[in-house]
Each structure stands twice: as structure tokens, then as C-alpha cells.
Amino acid sequence: MENRFNNLTSKEWLPFQKSWFRFENKFNLIEKNLRFFTKGSEKKKENIFIQSDTSQSEINDLCKKNNLKLNIDINKNLTFGLIDLLNLEKKQDIDTIINQTIETSKKIFEKLDEKKFLCILTKNFTIDNKYYPFAWDLAYEISKIFSLKDEKIGCLENKDFSGNSLTNNSIFYNLYFKKDENSKNSFDKINKRYELKSFDLNNLNKFNINTWNIIKPKPRKKDEILHPAKYPEELIDIFLKKFSKENENIFDPMCGTGSTQIAALKNNRNAYGCELSKFFYDIALKRCNELKDPVQKDLFAENKNDSKFKILNIDCRKATKKLFPKIDYMITSPPYWDMLNMKGAENQAKRREKDLKLNYSEDKEDLGNIDDYDKFLKELIEVYKNLIPLIKSKGFVTIIVKNIKKGGKNYPLAWDICKELNDLILLEEIMWLQDDQSIAPYGYGNTFVTNTFHHYCLNFQKK
């Protein structure tokens, strides 16, 4: 296949499509982006724009090496733009930075060729004990101009815990925007920004959690494979041990085959949950019963504890204080919209070959069967808000989810959830990274599409 997009071989192309990477240095990062998004040649040197604190001489050398022309004044047609905000100082006025970036993005949009990309390097940060998802807010603002097409997560190596926040703050975002038929070009549209709420740093210091976690789970058992979207118990362990204590009450309102409940019981916590599907409810119940009362008791002596569990085969919309005790910690993962119903999805094909279930259920009340994104988001947020009264004051919530690409568009589900759950205090996000997946050559030779191997672990505290 002819590569019309850039000058890379397939060997170089594929690694760039992985949605997370370990950060080497900024110069190397800028070079990789330039090489992927441009196709410079001796005969035709493409015009690009770069705004960065990297030395001008290094940028000039980089452009010369790749047969590119640096257009500082944005006065010629461009094939690629890059805005570097990684070294943004927290003391700088946020609104000023966002407005300046919007103005620069508008100029780039006017000069950028169709189907070409703008990349913004940025991160989230804490200001005065308030966590501010600057990268997400900026993405919403720029997506009023361009189409938000994709994101890559950069992981900074060798970062030590600061002792002043929940995580070691060692991730940043490569946000990718495209000038195409879906570009809004609506510069005056107004969306609400994230509402910031203070959290108690002294209360959070004890929770130090690594910002990014590469989980390679054990092989799934026969009954667990039946579930099309199970998350690993190894991941749940990380959060259980940080956000809860022994004998406290753990709750998962969409418990599937009972991964949360199993992890809670193994860690001497009480396990509670709901499951809409009778099929998966039976599996979860069986697994919990076997853990609590194993047939070969001598072999499972280490699992003996006094922890309790209760799982109900009900829609989580019906979960009330009468059915469950006060919850200390809720950890859950919602349906990733209706992605399991996409018949052409690669994962669907593999499961179809093995005659496994392709979705959660055929129930009309199942959130995973709603095909309209706005309706799905609205109902999901309503579910979470109805569950908040079950959680004790100062209790914690973790929601594991990822942003979604569908039909050529990007739907920032994780960010949308955070924006809408304004009754809770947003804490720093943590990433679950998959490193055991094969990379598929989506769009090879024509456009940029990542293999999404990162999931958000969104953390909140109840007031």
C-alpha cells in the first residue's frame, strides 16, 4: 500500500499508533510528531507552525533535516501545527493562556490544509488544593474550531511522589485536532468550564498512587471470559487498598461477573453490588459463594474471613439506602456507550468465532444498548447522581472508563463524566495502561488513528 500521509515505513508507523508512550524528551517528541504528520521532500518543502520553548535553533535544524519550512507568522498555507504548553506555569492566568491558544488555533485553522492536523501538548494540574483538568478544558475549547480526533498519553519516567497530591503527576496529553468536514468552526459557542472544588491535601497524602499503571492480568477463567468487557481484579486491588480499609463497605452498581466483589472479599472488605443481567448475576453470585465457602476448604484457608457480600439482580437505578448499608467506597466501570453492539469491531469478531456473548444484554433498560450518545451520557450521569446518597460523607468514588472513537468522531466520555458529576470533588486522574495488545494498522498510509490502550480511572470524593 502506498503511504500518501508521511515518509514513514510501517515499522515506524505502527508504534506511533499506540495511545500511550513513555516520554524520552521533548525534542524527540516534537520530532516524532513532525515525522508522522508531514511528508516533506527536497522538491516540495511543506510549511509547518511550531510554538514551543524548545530552542529555535533546534527547531530550525529539525525542520531542515525533514525538508520542512517553519512558518512563524502563520502567513502561508500549513500542513501541520504544534503548540507546546507542557512547561506552563501554574501561576500564569489560566483564562489568558486558553484565550491565547484559541486565537493561535484560529489562525492555524485558517491556513491549515484540509485533512491536516494540529497537535497540542499539555497537562492537567493542581492549583490551590483544587484539581484543574486544564488539558480537557482546552480540548473542549479548541474542538469548537477543529474536530477533536484523538489523544495520546505521555508517561514521564522516574517521577517521585511529591507528597502534596494524590499521584506523582507524571502524565501529559498529546491532543490531536483535524480540519475536516466535522470541524465546528464556531468560535463564539460557549460551554461551561469545569467547576473546581477544594480537596484536603492532608487527607490525600496517605493515598499516594502511581499515575500510570501497566496491568497484565492473569488469564481469565472460563466463566469470566463470558463477560465481554471485564476489568482486571489486579487493578481493583490498587484502589481498594488506597481508598478503603478492612471491614469497610465496597459497592459496584454494575458488577458484571463480580470482579469488584471478589477483590473486596479477598481484601477483607464487605462486598455489595447490582447486576441487571441475570446471566452475569448468576456467575457473580457463584464466584462469591465459592470464595466464601469453597468446596476444598483446606486449600482455601487463606480466604477465610468475616467479610459479607450482597449482590442483587436489579437495575442499579433501583439501588436505595433500604437495600444497601452506607457505602465507604464505590468503584465501577460503565458500559463504553454502545461500542459492544458495533458488529464490525475486531473484538466482536473474535468473540463471535468463539460463540461468546457480544454485549451485556438485550435488555432495553441496559445503558449499553442506547445508540444516541447524548441520551446515553444523560442517563449514565443520572444513575451516578442517584447513587451518591448511598456513599458516606468524604467517601470516595472511582469510575473506570475511556474516551470513544466511533464513526470517525471522538467522544470524550471520560471527560464528559467528570464535567457532569459536579456534585463530587474531582481528584487527579490515574491511567490503566494495556501493554499486551497487538497494534492494528488503522488508517495506514492515509490518516492518523490510534489503538486506544489507555483507560481513565476517574477519582472523586463526596463532600
Side-chain angles (χ1 to χ4, degrees):
M1 180 188 294
E2 180 187 358
N3 183 0
R4 299 188 297 269
F5 193 76
N6 56 35
N7 295 317
L8 302 184
T9 64
S10 59
K11 187 176 181 180
E12 292 178 281
W13 178 296
L14 285 175
F16 196 86
Q17 286 190 285
K18 187 176 180 179
S19 70
W20 66 272
F21 61 96
R22 291 180 175 86
F23 182 65
E24 299 166 20
N25 60 69
K26 188 153 62 174
F27 181 80
N28 180 268
L29 174 61
I30 292 174
E31 181 173 26
K32 284 184 177 179
N33 274 284
L34 281 185
R35 284 182 54 75
F36 192 89
F37 289 100
T38 63
K39 193 176 176 66
S41 67
E42 287 285 354
K43 294 182 179 180
K44 183 180 179 182
K45 295 187 177 182
E46 299 181 354
N47 289 303
I48 63 164
F49 172 82
I50 297 178
Q51 175 184 298
S52 174
D53 60 358
T54 302
S55 75
Q56 193 66 50
S57 61
E58 286 185 308
I59 296 295
N60 287 333
D61 289 344
L62 184 58
C63 290
K64 185 178 179 179
K65 175 184 174 182
N66 290 280
N67 295 310
L68 302 170
K69 290 182 180 179
L70 192 62
N71 186 350
I72 299 175
D73 298 322
I74 321 181
N75 55 9
K76 296 179 181 178
N77 280 5
L78 302 172
T79 57
F80 180 62
L82 185 145
I83 300 174
D84 168 19
L85 298 175
L86 284 183
N87 290 338
L88 179 69
E89 295 184 20
K90 301 175 187 177
K91 64 183 179 182
Q92 292 177 265
D93 182 71
I94 297 302
D95 286 334
T96 298
I97 296 298
I98 287 182
N99 290 333
Q100 288 174 346
T101 307
I102 290 172
E103 289 306 310
T104 303
S105 299
K106 288 180 184 179
K107 293 177 182 178
I108 293 173
F109 183 87
E110 295 300 332
K111 292 296 182 179
L112 195 67
D113 291 345
E114 287 291 326
K115 307 296 184 183
K116 297 300 183 178
F117 287 79
L118 165 66
C119 171
I120 299 182
L121 312 177
T122 187
K123 64 189 302 183
N124 296 338
F125 45 78
T126 300
I127 308 175
D128 298 329
N129 292 10
K130 296 176 182 176
Y131 190 59
Y132 181 50
F134 175 82
W136 307 349
D137 250 355
L138 185 62
Y140 281 118
E141 294 296 332
I142 304 304
S143 65
K144 299 171 188 175
I145 307 169
F146 290 85
S147 295
L148 173 62
K149 295 305 292 186
D150 225 321
E151 63 186 294
K152 280 164 63 81
I153 306 300
C155 303
L156 299 173
E157 294 279 23
N158 301 320
K159 289 278 289 185
D160 295 325
F161 285 120
S162 65
N164 292 318
S165 63
L166 178 64
T167 74
N168 55 359
N169 192 28
S170 59
I171 63 169
F172 64 92
Y173 293 84
N174 290 20
L175 303 173
Y176 294 98
F177 304 88
K178 188 177 183 182
K179 183 176 179 179
D180 62 12
E181 65 278 4
N182 295 317
S183 297
K184 307 275 196 313
N185 199 7
S186 174
F187 304 144
D188 58 351
K189 185 179 178 182
I190 298 175
N191 283 336
K192 64 179 181 180
R193 296 254 177 99
Y194 281 92
E195 181 181 346
L196 305 185
K197 299 182 178 70
S198 296
F199 54 79
D200 183 355
L201 283 176
N202 292 324
N203 189 29
L204 290 178
N205 280 346
K206 61 184 179 182
F207 292 121
N208 283 344
I209 301 176
N210 207 18
T211 310
W212 44 289
N213 300 274
I214 301 172
I215 305 292
K216 293 186 178 180
K218 298 174 183 177
R220 294 166 66 182
K221 296 179 181 178
K222 186 176 180 180
D223 54 356
E224 297 170 49
I225 293 174
L226 295 172
H227 196 278
K230 179 183 180 293
Y231 59 10
E233 289 162 22
E234 294 90 338
L235 179 66
I236 305 169
D237 273 354
I238 294 172
F239 294 99
L240 279 178
K241 292 171 181 175
K242 296 294 183 179
F243 285 126
S244 69
K245 302 174 185 176
E246 289 193 4
N247 301 317
E248 288 191 334
N249 298 328
I250 312 303
F251 182 63
D252 184 346
M254 305 174 187
C255 68
T257 57
S259 296
T260 298
Q261 287 71 28
I262 292 296
L265 291 173
K266 287 182 177 179
N267 283 282
N268 298 313
R269 274 78 165 161
N270 300 316
Y272 297 93
C274 314
E275 175 50 47
L276 176 66
S277 164
K278 179 67 164 58
F279 180 81
F280 293 126
Y281 161 78
D282 287 341
I283 294 174
L285 198 62
K286 178 182 177 183
R287 292 181 69 204
C288 289
N289 279 321
E290 287 180 348
L291 179 66
K292 287 292 293 179
D293 188 21
V295 175
Q296 295 176 296
K297 292 183 172 55
D298 292 340
L299 296 178
F300 296 90
E302 70 276 10
N303 289 331
K304 291 181 180 178
N305 59 62
D306 296 326
S307 300
K308 296 172 287 188
F309 77 89
K310 178 182 180 181
I311 304 175
L312 298 181
N313 181 206
I314 61 172
D315 189 325
C316 59
R317 298 176 181 90
K318 297 178 181 178
T320 64
K321 294 179 181 179
K322 293 182 179 180
L323 295 175
F324 298 101
K326 203 68 172 179
I327 300 301
D328 296 284
Y329 176 50
M330 183 174 88
I331 178 168
T332 189
S333 180
Y336 291 3
W337 189 13
D338 67 342
M339 295 302 288
L340 291 180
N341 290 333
M342 289 182 64
K343 306 303 182 187
E346 183 181 3
N347 185 54
Q348 293 290 70
K350 291 179 180 178
R351 293 186 66 83
R352 192 175 289 109
E353 288 176 6
K354 298 177 182 179
D355 198 27
L356 296 171
K357 284 181 69 67
L358 302 179
N359 60 6
Y360 301 110
S361 75
E362 300 300 328
D363 196 313
K364 292 181 180 179
E365 297 301 314
D366 192 326
L367 293 175
N369 291 329
I370 299 175
D371 59 5
D372 180 82
Y373 178 75
D374 291 333
K375 182 180 179 183
F376 164 75
L377 179 64
K378 182 180 179 181
E379 293 204 21
L380 178 62
I381 295 302
E382 187 176 335
V383 165
Y384 287 144
K385 288 189 173 183
N386 288 339
L387 292 171
I388 291 175
L390 275 66
I391 303 168
K392 73 174 185 179
S393 177
K394 306 297 183 183
F396 294 95
V397 175
T398 298
I399 300 174
I400 299 169
V401 69
K402 70 178 179 181
N403 291 344
I404 293 169
K405 291 189 285 286
K406 181 181 178 183
K409 295 183 180 181
N410 190 302
Y411 297 84
L413 176 58
W415 307 348
D416 286 344
I417 289 173
C418 290
K419 182 177 283 192
E420 295 301 325
L421 284 181
N422 47 29
D423 292 333
L424 299 173
I425 300 170
L426 176 64
L427 308 180
E428 299 169 39
E429 77 274 29
I430 293 168
M431 293 294 175
W432 161 31
L433 307 176
Q434 294 172 297
D435 202 22
D436 54 353
Q437 306 285 318
S438 299
I439 301 176
Y442 301 133
Y444 177 70
N446 294 294
T447 191
F448 169 59
V449 184
T450 65
N451 289 240
T452 306
F453 295 156
H454 68 275
H455 301 248
Y456 289 84
C457 303
L458 306 171
N459 300 291
F460 306 87
Q461 186 176 30
K462 185 176 178 181
K463 298 177 186 177

